[in-house]
Amino acid sequence: MEQIRIARGLKFFTATAFALATLFFFWYVPLVVGKLAMNPENAWLKWPAMCGMWLIGLLCYLALALFWGICSRIGKDNSFCRENARAMKRIGLLAFGAGGLILGGCVFLGCAGSLGVLMCVLSLFVIFGACGVGVVCFALSALIRNAAKLKEENDLTI
């Protein structure tokens, strides 16, 4: 019963993150990019910026879908399984991919002369956060994989 409550809480968090990401990527980002594109010098950056942000959004949605699967397996009392370990590893790869895309965007905007100091510093914090999520997911993947091995060994001895 405890596993079901935990899974429901995690799914609520995931659904909330999905809703907030939808607001961010489909309302806030177009609003900000549209305002920046009003400047004639930056007008050509509108669609590259939108496509880059939507690609990052796609990675975030894929990570949320993988996490939803983990939550479902937790609710079925199957927390420590190889599927969860693989999903955590994939989420880590997606986080590193998002960080890499943000870094690439910063380099692109820097070369175009359209990256301010504040935006550069903010981007570095976001890249650091994405890489931190990736490292944590890789560590959790290893722990879950080891726990799954122990669980499988114990299931065979019973």
Side-chain angles (χ1 to χ4, degrees):
M1 189 64 176
E2 183 69 21
Q3 294 291 102
I4 294 172
R5 275 190 33 224
I6 292 170
R8 284 184 184 156
L10 290 171
K11 283 184 176 183
F12 175 77
F13 169 80
T14 307
T16 304
F18 180 88
L20 291 173
T22 301
L23 279 174
F24 180 76
F25 286 111
F26 293 100
W27 174 73
Y28 183 72
V29 168
L31 182 72
V32 170
V33 170
K35 285 184 180 182
L36 292 174
M38 284 184 193
N39 183 352
E41 295 175 1
N42 295 331
W44 67 276
L45 289 171
K46 180 178 181 177
W47 289 111
M50 290 300 295
C51 291
M53 289 302 293
W54 285 337
L55 187 56
I56 292 167
L58 176 65
L59 297 180
C60 292
Y61 287 127
L62 289 172
L64 286 172
L66 289 168
F67 190 70
W68 187 272
I70 292 171
C71 297
S72 297
R73 287 185 285 277
I74 289 172
K76 295 176 184 172
D77 201 20
N78 194 16
S79 302
F80 301 113
C81 62
R82 293 181 188 271
E83 292 87 8
N84 282 354
R86 280 192 295 272
M88 269 299 180
K89 185 176 181 180
R90 288 181 182 136
I91 293 170
L93 290 171
L94 290 169
F96 279 117
L101 282 173
I102 295 168
L103 180 61
C106 288
V107 169
F108 175 77
L109 290 174
C111 291
S114 298
L115 184 66
V117 175
L118 180 63
M119 199 61 169
C120 182
V121 171
L122 180 64
S123 296
L124 289 175
F125 278 108
V126 173
I127 292 167
F128 182 77
C131 291
V133 168
V135 168
V136 168
C137 286
F138 281 162
L140 286 173
S141 173
L143 291 172
I144 293 168
R145 186 176 54 252
N146 290 341
K149 286 179 187 175
L150 288 173
K151 182 183 170 208
E152 289 168 4
E153 289 174 8
N154 285 339
D155 288 346
L156 290 175
T157 59
I158 293 176

